[in-house]
Amino acid sequence: MLSVEGVSVRFDGISALSSVTLAVAPGERLGLIGPNGAGKTTLLNVITGLLRPAAGAIRLDGRALTGLAPDAVARAGVGRTFQSPRLFTRMTVEENARAGRPLDAKPWLDLVGLLPRRDDLAAALTPGEARRLELARALAGEPRLLLLDEPCGGLNSAETETMVAFLERAAGPGRITIVVEHKLRVVSRLCERLAVLHLGEKIFDGPAGTLRADRRVLEAYLGKSRAS
Amino acid sequence: MVDFLQALVDGVMLGATYALLGLGFTLIFGVLRRLNLAFGPTILVGIYAGSHVGLAWPGALAAVMAVTVAAAILAGIYVERCSFRALSRQAPVVSMISTFAVWMQLQELVSLFAASRTMPYPSPAWLPAVAAGPILLRSDALLMWSGATAIMLALFVLLYRTRFGTAVRAVADSSEAATLMGVNVAAVGAAAFLVASAVGGLAGVLIAQSQQQVTPYFGLWATVKGLTAMLLGGAGSLSGAVVGGVILGVVETQTLWHFGGQWRDLAAYALLFLVVALSPRARGEPSL
Amino acid sequence: MSDYVVSLLVRIGVEAFVALSAYLLLVIGRISFGQQAFFVIGGYAAGISTALYGAPLPIGIIVGALAAGLAAALFAGAMARAGGIYFAAGSLARGELARVALLSFHHQVPVGADLTGPAGADGFRGIRALFTSGMSVTAYMVAIWGLLALTFLAIALLLRSRWGEAIRMVGEDETAAAAVGVRVGRVAGLTMVGAGALAGMGGGLFAHYATYLEPGHADVMLGVHSLAYAFIGGLGTPLGPIIGVAFDIGLLESFRFLAGYRMIIFGGLVMALLVLRPRGLLDEVTVHRVTRRLAGRRA
Ligand SMILES: Nc1ncnc2c1ncn2[C@@H]1O[C@H](COP(=O)(O)OP(=O)(O)O)[C@@H](O)[C@H]1O
Ligand SMILES: [Mg+2]
């Protein structure tokens, strides 16, 4: 169980997240959407300890994550990818997936279709492959909580199809997943439940099917005049 | 008490030149976001050139000054070309490493032409010392302080009252935003480098006339003073660099008065180390 | 082997330790202009333990490395998480601090008929353990190179291990490394300690060869050269910095007609390489290609 309780983040006095509360159950896959600058990445950063919240608390299975350093959060069972992939470009694909951990990365590379490229330098990968490698690296840690920041960002439609197929396979038993994604088409295929952030506030949280009927979401996405 | 005051006054006078060095550092770092460690050695080149002129034409003070500044500017252009313009697409720290390579060259160049390890530098020694109550104001220190203050004022006018200054500050604030506003960031960077070299050359004149001699060690000395002043002032703030320079000067003269000469440099380096270790910005700096 | 060649090989061997020290820091993405601090600390500590307290030569070298490692640990305590220009500026300050502190470091005790030990600016004379042990300079040179070979092997193996993966990850992207659970501060700190100990070992080896050390041995140019060696030879393998040293001391310094221009050529070479091959001759890509080809031939 991931619980985000009243988390606020400010940058130089400007509020990036205001009192966001969110609970995600084991095995659940939550889609997190919202326009650019809504605070989605900020929410992932505050969960992973890269940012300190001005207020609020974050717990994973009852254990407080707030205040832990990023590496400690990772060891507490949180894996993530980044909006623009952060690979170790001077290391091989296999070294990237293993990432210094005592594990065999090959099954994970196989899962994302990169096993044949395991001895290449990560710098040589295409953008689509880079995203898949980052996914494999996060999965190899067998995280309890998996945070994916726009896993299909910058991919063409074929690459997006492949990625969605991999993401569908990526669920572990009891794993909590949050997928940040721009394309509603993609995210609704992956997630039954969606949450919408807008200007740092959560304005919607519910079954994907009810999203289009929500007045606040329509306002946020289409502008007030057209919604009314 | 008089000791303390005398050391304080001496420190402020000395600190004014450190402030100048700090301003030169800050101009380059603020605009280019890259550190020019060869700043001290470029001044060293200027002072050696000036010293040669002084040896050839004793008494030609104006020529000595002009050559000092001109040579410092020439060396600065060389540094800008090799370590900044040629490396503008690479990580900022690569420029920093490259400036040390230029440093080696400049230092060797200077000693190739030096008649001896210690070179004399002319000083207007005809000025009398001034006594203000129990406090003694040495003429060379007074010259150093008034010269540095005048240069600083001119620099602040340039930066806060001209279009060029506005462009420099815009780039320092955010080079992306400045580009969008139509500022030629590369040109402003090169110009800021030129101004910084000129300021460095002038600071070199003031310091050298006070010390009346120079050794190749001056390069490291000036770089460390300027770097400390800049970092003390918050790495990027012009007024901060001035305050940082004065603090460094006062810390040095106070340790000199109260503990003795061998502690002075130790205190200066310890101050630099502490500033770096305690700086909240030190963490998460991009690496190589 | 002529005396000249032996002395050249000793100097290359000794400098290689400092170059490897600076290289290890480059692997964690830190630029140090101050490894000469650990070189002199190691040299003084080794010299004190043999010349003043009669320790055998090998023990002295170990003491030197440990003392430098300890000093590096103190430094890492303050700076393990600093990066970029801040780490560089801090290391520059540290190098000069060591030099200035040695200028007023006096610790002389009577040994036999005269006083021996560090005497401030006059330096530390009479580190004679190598010559009283009866070991020939040639044998000493071979021992230095043996030790260097072992060190090289140890570093190469370390960097290939899981630990080494963590070290290289920290060097490339601390945020991404932390995101997979790497204890960034610990990895960086321990690497700094190891790097300090290596430079200290070089200092101890040098002190016993020269029989003499002075604060001037902590000149900033030693630190800068050590850093530059890796940028010449390449950052992809610990062989890189050693190649850099051999090139500088073995080639540039031995050509008499280059006297007076060596730093100009060396500096120009580093400058040009930073533009053309920013990570040196044997950079990661080249090393990867070569190891792959070798592995392919074996398979
Ligand atoms: N490090 C930062 N410093 C200052 N402002 C930031 C920082 N990171 C994000 N922001 C601001 O916070 C807001 C939310 O950004 P972000 O979380 O990246 O949005 P999203 O991922 O939803 O597109 C934006 O207005 C952005 O400009
Ligand atoms: Mg985002």
Side-chain angles (χ1 to χ4, degrees):
Chain A
M1 177 77 159
L2 168 74
S3 59
V4 175
E5 299 152 14
V7 164
S8 300
V9 173
R10 273 186 275 279
F11 294 114
D12 303 321
I14 298 162
S15 183
L17 285 180
S18 6
S19 201
V20 171
T21 297
L22 199 66
V24 196
E28 196 173 10
R29 205 146 47 178
L30 173 78
L32 185 62
I33 61 175
N36 251 329
K40 307 178 296 291
T41 299
T42 303
L43 182 61
L44 299 199
N45 285 348
V46 79
I47 294 173
T48 51
L50 287 176
L51 294 171
R52 290 277 157 93
I58 295 152
R59 258 181 271 278
L60 181 60
D61 298 329
R63 181 178 169 196
L65 298 183
T66 343
L68 292 184
D71 55 316
V73 173
R75 288 194 302 277
V78 182
R80 76 170 289 177
T81 64
F82 294 87
Q83 186 168 342
S84 52
R86 300 181 79 148
L87 295 175
F88 306 107
T89 56
R90 300 192 285 255
M91 298 169 68
T92 66
V93 167
E94 186 172 3
E95 285 175 329
N96 265 274
R98 189 166 55 209
R101 296 167 292 196
L103 54 84
D104 180 11
K106 289 195 189 72
W108 307 104
L109 287 175
D110 197 23
L111 181 79
V112 300
L114 285 176
L115 195 55
R117 304 209 57 182
R118 65 176 185 274
D119 289 329
D120 289 342
L121 285 185
L125 297 184
T126 65
E129 290 170 330
R131 289 232 180 255
R132 272 145 57 193
L133 177 54
E134 218 192 8
L135 175 67
R137 184 174 76 189
L139 288 173
E142 305 202 38
R144 172 85 176 136
L145 169 63
L146 178 63
L147 307 169
L148 305 169
D149 200 346
E150 304 198 15
C152 302
L155 303 190
N156 62 32
S157 55
E159 287 169 334
T160 303
E161 276 309 309
T162 338
M163 181 53 104
V164 170
F166 290 137
L167 289 176
E168 280 169 338
R169 273 192 264 158
R175 176 168 299 153
I176 307 164
T177 309
I178 298 183
V179 186
V180 173
E181 187 49 67
H182 261 311
K183 299 172 197 126
L184 208 54
R185 198 172 49 77
V186 170
V187 81
S188 43
R189 271 175 64 192
L190 286 169
C191 310
E192 273 146 28
R193 177 182 159 205
L194 296 181
V196 180
L197 279 181
H198 180 54
L199 297 175
E201 284 182 58
K202 190 176 83 173
I203 58 167
F204 174 87
D205 188 346
T210 64
L211 180 78
R212 284 171 192 284
D214 190 273
R215 191 180 53 82
R216 291 185 67 190
V217 174
L218 285 175
E219 276 172 14
Y221 269 87
L222 303 171
K224 265 204 167 62
S225 54
R226 285 177 57 190
S228 56
Chain B
M1 190 60 203
V2 171
D3 276 2
F4 177 81
L5 280 180
Q6 177 75 53
L8 190 67
V9 169
D10 287 348
V12 171
M13 302 226 166
L14 182 67
T17 52
Y18 293 170
L20 264 191
L21 295 171
L23 281 174
F25 253 94
T26 307
L27 259 179
I28 296 171
F29 183 71
V31 173
L32 298 168
R33 296 282 141 199
R34 285 158 189 255
L35 203 55
N36 175 18
L37 291 173
F39 188 58
T42 55
I43 305 174
L44 174 74
V45 171
I47 297 179
Y48 264 75
S51 163
H52 279 289
V53 172
L55 283 174
W57 296 284
L61 270 182
V64 169
M65 278 180 59
V67 167
T68 303
V69 176
I73 291 178
L74 274 181
I77 291 173
Y78 179 64
V79 175
E80 198 265 339
R81 288 288 153 92
C82 298
S83 304
F84 292 82
R85 199 172 298 189
L87 294 170
S88 59
R89 288 150 162 275
Q90 290 179 21
V93 287
V94 179
S95 282
M96 176 178 76
I97 298 162
S98 175
T99 57
F100 237 124
V102 181
W103 178 332
M104 290 179 192
Q105 294 190 307
L106 296 182
Q107 190 158 323
E108 182 114 317
L109 185 77
V110 154
S111 36
L112 269 182
F113 289 99
S116 56
R117 225 185 119 71
T118 307
M119 294 281 281
Y121 198 89
S123 162
W126 34 265
L127 288 172
V130 182
I135 311 283
L136 196 70
L137 302 174
R138 274 172 33 225
S139 63
D140 59 290
L142 211 54
L143 192 66
M144 203 160 71
W145 179 80
S146 46
T149 309
I151 296 163
M152 268 186 265
L153 286 176
L155 188 61
F156 274 85
V157 168
L158 178 71
L159 290 172
Y160 286 90
R161 290 278 179 275
T162 66
R163 283 187 54 189
F164 167 70
T166 312
V168 167
R169 285 181 296 120
V171 175
D173 197 46
S174 156
S175 63
E176 289 86 33
T179 310
L180 292 176
M181 282 157 51
V183 175
N184 183 344
V185 172
V188 168
F193 215 101
L194 226 62
V195 173
S197 306
V199 169
L202 289 168
V205 170
L206 295 172
I207 296 164
Q209 63 80 27
S210 165
Q211 300 184 345
Q212 298 185 21
Q213 61 177 38
V214 60
T215 68
Y217 223 69
F218 177 87
L220 173 66
W221 182 87
T223 285
V224 168
K225 299 307 176 202
L227 186 62
T228 309
M230 177 180 89
L231 292 178
L232 261 175
S237 150
L238 291 164
S239 46
V242 175
V243 175
V246 173
I247 292 176
L248 176 61
V250 170
V251 166
E252 283 192 7
T253 47
Q254 292 291 358
T255 23
L256 178 67
W257 269 91
H258 295 287
F259 300 98
Q262 73 272 38
W263 293 99
R264 171 185 170 166
D265 286 338
L266 210 61
Y269 291 122
L271 188 63
L272 173 57
F273 185 75
L274 280 179
V275 172
V276 171
L278 300 178
S279 168
R281 293 204 210 169
R283 250 184 104 127
E285 266 281 303
S287 51
L288 189 65
Chain C
M1 224 182 279
S2 77
D3 286 354
Y4 175 69
V5 172
V6 171
S7 79
L8 210 59
L9 287 174
V10 168
R11 287 207 36 221
I12 294 175
V14 163
E15 284 260 3
F17 281 94
V18 196
L20 282 171
S21 171
Y23 169 76
L24 273 183
L25 293 180
L26 286 171
V27 177
I28 55 164
R30 307 303 207 280
I31 290 150
S32 169
F33 297 120
Q35 294 311 97
Q36 70 275 21
F38 303 127
F39 178 82
V40 286
I41 289 171
Y44 269 68
I48 287 172
S49 58
T50 58
L52 273 60
Y53 300 104
L57 181 54
I59 302 290
I61 302 296
I62 292 170
V63 168
L66 289 179
L70 187 69
L74 292 176
F75 177 77
M79 300 281 285
R81 296 305 302 271
I85 64 160
Y86 289 87
F87 186 88
S91 67
L92 187 63
R94 174 192 66 209
E96 285 298 285
L97 265 178
R99 187 180 63 79
V100 175
L102 286 180
L103 283 174
S104 38
F105 177 48
H106 293 264
H107 180 72
Q108 292 199 297
V109 297
V111 175
D114 20 46
L115 280 176
T116 304
D122 291 334
F124 180 2
R125 288 168 197 286
I127 308 172
R128 275 189 281 271
L130 170 61
F131 298 96
T132 51
S133 76
M135 193 177 194
S136 76
V137 176
T138 308
Y140 190 56
M141 182 273 289
V142 171
I144 289 176
W145 276 83
L147 209 51
L148 181 63
L150 282 180
T151 308
F152 165 76
L153 250 153
I155 294 177
L157 288 176
L158 171 74
L159 290 180
R160 293 275 142 240
S161 72
R162 302 290 159 94
W163 256 91
E165 278 173 16
I167 290 173
R168 287 181 286 146
M169 284 156 61
V170 167
E172 191 161 343
D173 187 339
E174 291 190 15
T175 304
V180 283
V182 171
R183 291 174 165 89
V184 175
R186 189 186 297 183
V187 169
L190 285 175
T191 309
M192 289 175 198
V193 172
L198 272 187
M201 187 177 289
L205 291 169
F206 176 75
H208 286 90
Y209 169 73
T211 72
Y212 163 68
L213 271 182
E214 60 174 18
H217 282 119
D219 188 273
V220 64
M221 280 302 160
L222 170 61
V224 178
H225 272 85
S226 315
L227 182 74
Y229 291 144
F231 281 96
I232 294 175
L235 296 171
T237 155
L239 211 52
I242 301 176
I243 291 173
V245 179
F247 174 79
D248 181 38
I249 298 179
L251 228 64
L252 288 189
E253 207 189 290
S254 9
F255 284 127
R256 287 289 147 86
F257 64 90
L258 290 180
Y261 299 93
R262 176 178 156 226
M263 298 269 256
I264 293 178
I265 295 170
F266 184 78
L269 178 77
V270 174
M271 238 161 60
L273 274 177
L274 285 175
V275 176
L276 301 172
R277 260 189 107 77
R279 297 185 71 81
L281 293 175
L282 299 177
D283 59 9
E284 286 85 352
V285 177
T286 308
V287 170
H288 178 253
R289 199 172 294 150
V290 170
T291 44
R292 238 181 138 171
R293 186 160 305 165
L294 292 179
R297 195 165 298 161
R298 222 181 306 128

